[in-house]
Amino acid sequence: MARKFLYVIVVLILLAIAGAFAYRFFGKQLMRMALVPSEAFVAAPPEPAAAYADRKMWIARPDLPGNPAMWTPPGYGVPAAAPVAVFYIHPTSYIDRAHWNAPADDERANSYADLFTKGQASAFNQVGQIWAPRYRQATFGAFLTGQKEAGQALDLAYRDVLAAFDAFVQQIGPDRPIILAGHSQGSLHLTRLLRDRIAGTPLAQRIVAVYAIGWPISRTADLSALGLPECRAADQSGCILSWQSFAEPADPSQVLDLFDQTTGPTSIARRGTALVCTNPLTGTADATAPASANLGTLTSSADFQTATMVANTVPAACIGRGILSIGAPIDMGKYVLPGNNYHVYDYSLFWANIRADAARRFAAFSKR
């Protein structure tokens, strides 16, 4: 019996080694096979801005009962009135390969989108009332391929975001300050929104800050087309923040390989270009900060029903061409991606610092 048990252990070890070997050499291909849709892209008409007059088209808005963006962890509260209007675009929550775009009634994708809004957009509720639209997001597999269908899926998703933003601007009034925030796919759409609705328009003067987190922004190929500079100082307003979190040893190739095959809106190739890297612990560009500067990392329970804040545990340093290193890996949960990529936790790692950053930039904006 003992010998049979040892045989089983050996087989399991060999399978684990084989799995690691397979991912090391074929991981990207395996992910594409598992997550990229095989169906043809199905075109659909864009949602009109008028559709976003309906509260059911929003995850969060000030008059929405049960607004998840109003949540705070223990020790934090929400003011009775907040002066800023926050437009937040959630990251990818649809991972099914059945469709290129999430169906509007997909319960799992919508539930995850609600959860992201609760954990991420809530960082801004001290200074702003948060608006977060539902949109027909592109599936996760669209980011693993250069197929034309992936671009079509992203275009469809962006048209929904654009309609929601137009409705948002109409409903908040003509003078209210604005924070724009997103993550991952949401930040990709946010960069397009900056080009189409902010750059060179009066709206640019109302922007407190743009939190385009979890999506690479090239300083030479992208930034000049976005209409706002990157945030270089902690008390600067009207600027863009961005970072992508990795532990060491960091392997950002899964993120950057496809990015490096593209050109920016300026027609400059992105390959090898420096990325915008804001250190969320300092609010400045290309900085290094110790864990003692971290005001609070949001750590959730396994079922995501509760969360606590833990301060002074996660450092941050902009390294290489603009990746944010958090040093040695830490236990944030089971969603760390290959390459020590802490993408899912870009907000959670620095939640309290993001909250303080938004308040500081609004104070600077108010003095202009």
Side-chain angles (χ1 to χ4, degrees), residues 118-190:
K118 178 180 178 180
Q120 296 182 349
S122 59
F124 303 106
N125 62 26
Q126 180 182 8
V127 297
Q129 293 184 327
I130 297 156
W131 300 65
R134 298 197 183 278
Y135 67 101
R136 291 168 293 182
Q137 61 185 282
T139 187
F140 181 78
F143 296 93
L144 303 175
T145 177
Q147 294 175 222
K148 66 177 182 179
E149 290 86 353
Q152 292 171 318
L154 287 165
D155 287 345
L156 191 157
Y158 173 66
R159 289 195 297 269
D160 283 358
V161 169
L162 197 60
F165 180 74
D166 288 343
F168 161 79
V169 171
Q170 291 172 7
Q171 294 181 65
I172 65 170
D175 302 312
R176 199 166 184 189
I178 296 170
I179 285 177
L180 301 175
H183 185 242
S184 193
Q185 178 174 172
S187 290
L188 169 61
H189 297 315
L190 193 53

Side-chain angles (χ1 to χ4, degrees), residues 1-16:
M1 180 63 73
R3 182 173 296 177
K4 288 182 179 180
F5 175 74
L6 289 175
Y7 286 155
V8 171
I9 295 299
V10 169
V11 170
L12 291 175
I13 291 172
L14 290 174
L15 286 173

Side-chain angles (χ1 to χ4, degrees), residues 178-181 207-211 228 231 236-241 357 361:
I178 296 170
I179 285 177
L180 301 175
I207 303 300
V208 175
V210 178
Y211 295 81
L228 297 171
C231 296
Q236 182 180 356
S237 64
C239 56
I240 301 169
L241 303 87
D357 188 274
R361 295 191 193 278

Side-chain angles (χ1 to χ4, degrees), residues 125-338:
N125 62 26
Q126 180 182 8
V127 297
Q129 293 184 327
I130 297 156
W131 300 65
R134 298 197 183 278
Y135 67 101
R136 291 168 293 182
Q137 61 185 282
T139 187
F140 181 78
F143 296 93
L144 303 175
T145 177
Q147 294 175 222
K148 66 177 182 179
E149 290 86 353
Q152 292 171 318
L154 287 165
D155 287 345
L156 191 157
Y158 173 66
R159 289 195 297 269
D160 283 358
V161 169
L162 197 60
F165 180 74
D166 288 343
F168 161 79
V169 171
Q170 291 172 7
Q171 294 181 65
I172 65 170
D175 302 312
R176 199 166 184 189
I178 296 170
I179 285 177
L180 301 175
H183 185 242
S184 193
Q185 178 174 172
S187 290
L188 169 61
H189 297 315
L190 193 53
T191 62
R192 294 183 67 177
L193 186 67
L194 286 170
R195 302 197 305 269
D196 292 343
R197 290 292 188 269
I198 306 299
T201 76
L203 275 177
Q205 301 305 312
R206 295 169 58 184
I207 303 300
V208 175
V210 178
Y211 295 81
I213 299 169
W215 188 261
I217 298 175
S218 167
R219 282 180 172 145
T220 54
D222 294 311
L223 195 57
S224 64
L226 304 186
L228 297 171
E230 71 172 303
C231 296
R232 305 292 301 182
D235 60 352
Q236 182 180 356
S237 64
C239 56
I240 301 169
L241 303 87
S242 182
W243 64 84
Q244 298 170 88
S245 309
F246 286 80
E248 298 296 341
D251 178 10
S253 62
Q254 186 72 57
V255 173
L256 297 178
D257 281 356
L258 284 175
F259 183 76
D260 279 349
Q261 295 173 29
T262 63
T263 57
T266 59
S267 299
I268 297 174
R270 290 173 169 139
R271 181 175 297 278
T273 57
L275 307 177
V276 173
C277 183
T278 315
N279 189 317
L281 299 185
T282 64
T284 59
D286 302 330
T288 298
S292 58
N294 194 317
L295 301 176
T297 295
L298 185 65
T299 58
S300 65
S301 59
D303 60 2
F304 300 106
Q305 296 304 304
T306 60
T308 57
M309 298 296 293
V310 181
N312 310 131
T313 58
V314 182
C318 290
I319 62 171
R321 61 185 285 197
I323 296 301
L324 188 71
S325 170
I326 63 168
I330 61 170
D331 183 12
M332 288 292 292
K334 61 182 180 180
Y335 296 106
V336 177
L337 301 176

